[in-house]
Amino acid sequence: GRVAQIGLRVQVGDGPPVDVTPPTVRVTAPTPAGETALIVRVTISASDDVGVASVDVELDGAVVATLTAPPWTRDLEVTAGAHTVAALARDAAGNLARSEGVPFTAVEALPPPPPVELERVLGGCGCSGVDGGLLAALALLGLRRRRR
């Protein structure tokens, strides 16, 4: 279903308004259900009408880091397997908000990118020696030889 969040400010007497609006918080990385390496960058989006005082990073239900200033980012070393990361944001008035958990899978080694086929990149130019090696390097950088 849908969840609505209502915030309000209460002012009693001549004092400052009382902040009763919780922050908003969500995990923006890693990608839900994605694969990561054993060191995963966790990125959190947190905001509040007055200001976010801190963000707790939770891994598998346990707080593993407390961030006290943006950017709300932390690299975590994890074991191979399935994990869930979440965040708990706190504002200066003590209002709390918890993000939804984001599941991800850490793997020992991500597969390497596909190899570049040098012949295909060079287009069968028939080059050899130093000139060919230089052209190969330029081709890998996306530069092409001018035709005269």
Side-chain angles (χ1 to χ4, degrees):
R2 298 178 88 172
V3 176
Q5 183 177 14
I6 299 174
L8 54 112
R9 286 175 149 320
V10 177
Q11 184 167 347
V12 179
D14 293 331
V18 176
D19 179 10
V20 295
T21 304
T24 59
V25 62
R26 70 185 180 93
V27 175
T28 58
T31 305
E35 284 190 347
T36 71
L38 297 181
I39 296 180
V40 60
R41 171 149 297 172
V42 177
T43 305
I44 298 160
S45 172
S47 62
D48 184 69
D49 61 334
V50 176
V52 176
S54 66
V55 174
D56 289 339
V57 180
E58 297 178 348
L59 180 66
D60 301 328
V63 175
V64 293
T66 298
L67 309 174
T68 57
W72 310 111
T73 301
R74 177 61 59 110
D75 289 340
L76 299 177
E77 188 172 345
V78 297
T79 57
H83 297 281
T84 300
V85 67
L88 178 68
R90 179 177 293 103
D91 68 13
N95 299 308
L96 301 172
R98 182 181 308 280
S99 73
E100 290 187 24
V102 174
F104 67 95
T105 301
V107 295
E108 289 287 337
L110 294 175
V116 176
E117 295 177 27
L118 197 54
E119 267 305 307
R120 188 171 50 97
V121 171
L122 293 176
C125 73
C127 306
S128 63
V130 174
D131 185 40
L134 178 59
L135 287 174
L138 293 175
L140 290 174
L141 293 172
L143 305 174
R144 298 174 188 247
R145 183 170 114 182
R146 289 187 188 172
R147 303 265 183 212
R148 295 182 198 200

